[in-house]
């Protein structure tokens, strides 16, 4: 089935007369088709056309097709865990167990606990790689604004204008004559972002400016410029401390994303440009310019070639 039910028939609340046919279509769909249809419906919804009945219909169909297992309560889970330990390490009479054997048993129990913790962390890493932001920031956006954190009421920055954010004005501009962005990154000890190894044809490095706090000279942001004639490609690396410093302007088109090195990178459109945005452990990273999203993706991927 190439088209989802939401495309063909709309939602039950919008088409009540067609409700039975719609539900029959949901029942005929596979788990994968239901998941794809739900995702597509959610992506197409806005505050104005939000349809809870459609979402409930998909979720109910998914639950019938692939029901979620019941989650045991805390006591049951702990009892199951104890039983598994006893099956792995049967209880012994303390009177006949040597101290050395007791030590080995304790070590094995500790090893099992460590392996369980590793498996849980591994699951989180897999989820992060799949695009579920477990460790980092949660991106948010409206029809006009994109943020790698909280949407604020103080407006957005148009990256194509070359105007830095208000936060930058707090610092002092350091116009050291770096010969490359990588030299500036090395100078500030930044290792979570590397200079792209690929830049679109025609663009050439122009300059890097660094913003620092006036009182102690500590790092705020690096701002690199690449020019192709009058066309500007901008790269900004800004210190990240739990919430985004930037809000960028965007149109109401779809926000795309991809994953590189376990990080989710978001691609979105402004009137005259496109932008890529993502967060590392300590930095917000932005690349913007009058180039296609696929070009931005290539640039971002090239920044991680050295680490893959």
């Amino acid at each position: 089935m190439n088209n989802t039910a939401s495309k063909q028939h709309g939602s039950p609340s919008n088409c009540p007369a067609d409700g039975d046919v719609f539900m029959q279509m949901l029942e005929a769909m596979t788990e994968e088709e239901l998941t794809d249809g739900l995702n597509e419906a959610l992506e197409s919804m806005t505050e104005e056309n939000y349809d809870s009945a459609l979402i409930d219909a998909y979720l109910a169909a998914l639950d019938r097709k692939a029901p979620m297992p019941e989650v045991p309560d805390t006591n049951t889970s702990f009892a199951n865990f104890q039983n598994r330990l006893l099956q792995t390490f049967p209880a012994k009479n303390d009177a006949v167990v040597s101290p050395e054997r007791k030590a080995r048993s304790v070590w094995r129990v500790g090893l099992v606990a460590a392996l369980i913790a590793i498996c849980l962390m591994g699951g989180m890493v897999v989820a992060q790689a799949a695009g579920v932001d477990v460790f980092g920031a949660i991106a948010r956006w409206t029809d006009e604004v994109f943020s790698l954190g909280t949407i604020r009421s103080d407006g957005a920055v148009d990256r194509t204008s070359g105007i830095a954010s208000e936060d930058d004005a707090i610092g002092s501009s350091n116009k050291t004559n770096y010969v490359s962005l990588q030299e500036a990154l090395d100078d500030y000890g930044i290792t979570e972002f590397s200079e792209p190894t690929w830049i679109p044809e025609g663009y050439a490095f122009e300059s890097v400016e660094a913003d620092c706090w006036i009182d102690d000279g500590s790092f705020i942001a690096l701002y690199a410029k690449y020019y192709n004639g009058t066309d500007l490609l901008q790269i900004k690396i800004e210190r990240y401390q739990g919430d985004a410093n930037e809000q960028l302007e965007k149109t109401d088109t779809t926000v795309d994303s991809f994953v590189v090195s376990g990080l989710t990178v978001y691609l979105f459109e402004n009137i005259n440009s496109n932008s890529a945005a993502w967060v590392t452990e300590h930095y917000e990273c932005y690349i913007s310019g009058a180039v296609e999203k696929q070009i931005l993706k290539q640039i971002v991927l090239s920044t991680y070639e050295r680490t893959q």
Side-chain angles (χ1 to χ4, degrees), residues 33-34 58 70 125 127 149 153 202 210 225 237 280 282:
E33 289 171 338
L34 287 168
Y58 271 110
E70 290 188 8
V125 171
S153 60
K225 299 178 181 180
I237 302 96
T280 68
H282 299 104

Side-chain angles (χ1 to χ4, degrees), residues 57-77:
Y58 271 110
L59 290 176
L62 274 169
D63 191 52
R64 290 191 295 272
K65 191 75 62 171
M68 292 288 291
E70 290 188 8
V71 179
D73 59 32
T74 304
N75 292 332
T76 303
S77 297

Side-chain angles (χ1 to χ4, degrees), residues 13-14 42 44-53 55-56:
S13 62
N14 290 334
L42 289 171
S44 65
M45 286 184 188
T46 65
E47 293 182 3
E48 290 73 22
N49 67 358
Y50 178 78
D51 191 342
S52 61
I55 296 173
D56 290 343

Side-chain angles (χ1 to χ4, degrees), residues 5-206:
S6 61
K7 277 188 173 181
Q8 292 180 349
H9 291 276
S11 69
S13 62
N14 290 334
C15 304
D18 201 31
D20 292 340
V21 175
F22 179 82
M23 299 305 296
Q24 291 172 10
M25 289 187 63
L26 290 182
E27 291 299 323
M29 293 168 71
T30 65
E31 179 184 352
E32 181 179 359
E33 289 171 338
L34 287 168
T35 302
D36 290 343
L38 176 58
N39 288 336
E40 187 174 316
L42 289 171
E43 288 177 359
S44 65
M45 286 184 188
T46 65
E47 293 182 3
E48 290 73 22
N49 67 358
Y50 178 78
D51 191 342
S52 61
L54 177 61
I55 296 173
D56 290 343
Y58 271 110
L59 290 176
L62 274 169
D63 191 52
R64 290 191 295 272
K65 191 75 62 171
M68 292 288 291
E70 290 188 8
V71 179
D73 59 32
T74 304
N75 292 332
T76 303
S77 297
F78 183 66
N80 292 338
F81 177 70
Q82 288 180 312
N83 289 334
R84 290 186 181 182
L85 284 181
L86 289 175
Q87 291 172 7
T88 307
F89 313 113
K92 302 289 184 180
N93 187 330
D94 289 341
V96 298
V97 177
S98 67
E100 294 83 0
R101 190 125 183 218
K102 283 185 179 180
R104 285 198 299 270
S105 178
V106 170
W107 183 86
R108 286 180 179 176
V109 172
L111 178 61
V112 169
L115 289 174
I116 291 172
I118 290 171
C119 289
L120 289 173
M121 288 300 295
M124 291 183 180
V125 171
V126 170
Q128 178 81 13
V132 179
D133 210 334
V134 178
F135 303 112
I138 299 176
R140 298 176 176 88
W141 58 87
T142 66
D143 286 348
E144 297 85 22
V145 176
F146 175 91
S147 173
L148 288 166
T150 305
I151 297 287
R152 304 185 302 272
S153 60
D154 55 357
V157 173
D158 182 358
R159 274 276 160 249
T160 61
S161 67
I163 300 174
S165 68
E166 292 180 1
D167 291 333
D168 297 338
I170 299 173
S172 59
S173 182
N174 175 5
K175 296 184 179 179
T176 304
N177 292 322
Y178 295 111
V179 299
S180 67
L181 172 57
Q182 189 60 50
E183 183 181 16
L185 293 169
D186 294 341
D187 192 27
Y188 283 91
I190 297 173
T191 59
E192 296 169 25
F193 182 96
S194 297
E195 180 181 50
T197 59
W198 184 87
I199 293 292
E201 186 177 355
Y203 283 87
F205 174 79
E206 174 75 15

